[in-house]
Amino acid sequence: NETIAASIAQMKAVSESERIRIKLEPSTDPLTASVRRADLWAIVTNLVANSIQAAGYSHARGRKFPSEREIVVSFRRDGNDLEISCEDNGPGLPEKPTNWIWEVYNTTKPGGSGLGLYIIADIVGSYAGTRLALPSTRFPTGALFKITLPGVFRVD
């Protein structure tokens, strides 16, 4: 929880000048998972940074999305798996195959490194997890990124 709170606080400071509100939806259960702190920090930070920067992506030009941006990060336990979601009301996903965005050096942002989502994919792969990029289900525009890390909760 400290790692998540610190990462979100850092990203809120970055997003204040961009008029983006970041909301952390609390889990209904206390979550204690066997996930490296650095891995969790990298996943959350890169997901939120990706959402913050979405308005600068080349595919955002000409798309209508709110100038008052919102990002919602949530965590939930599903059996022994940890599900992390990051959803925003930005321009949505590029019109390319969704696996393309997880590959190294692929970016739609001028000057972008193409490393953020690749880092997430690499970490998720090390846990034999899954990652999805979908249109937002919460907002009329935007993207939803879902990460699942299997078996990170102890079986009681």
Side-chain angles (χ1 to χ4, degrees), residues 27-121:
S27 174
T28 54
D29 326 309
L31 300 177
T32 305
S34 298
V35 178
R36 285 186 38 201
R37 176 175 273 167
D39 291 344
L40 189 57
W41 183 88
I43 290 169
V44 172
T45 302
N46 281 300
L47 284 173
V48 174
N50 185 69
S51 288
I52 289 171
Q53 297 169 349
Y57 296 154
S58 58
H59 77 276
R61 289 188 206 115
R63 288 193 180 182
K64 293 186 180 194
F65 55 95
S67 59
E68 294 290 329
R69 301 277 316 289
E70 189 171 348
I71 300 168
V72 179
V73 180
S74 63
F75 297 81
R76 97 180 175 89
R77 181 178 180 166
D78 182 14
N80 293 328
D81 302 345
L82 173 62
E83 293 181 357
I84 304 168
S85 296
C86 182
E87 193 162 9
D88 66 57
N89 64 346
L93 299 168
E95 293 176 14
K96 295 184 180 219
T98 55
N99 275 344
W100 175 88
I101 63 175
W102 303 104
E103 295 174 12
V104 69
Y105 305 129
N106 285 343
T107 184
T108 60
K109 185 173 187 236
S113 68
L115 293 175
L117 294 179
Y118 170 74
I119 289 168
I120 293 170

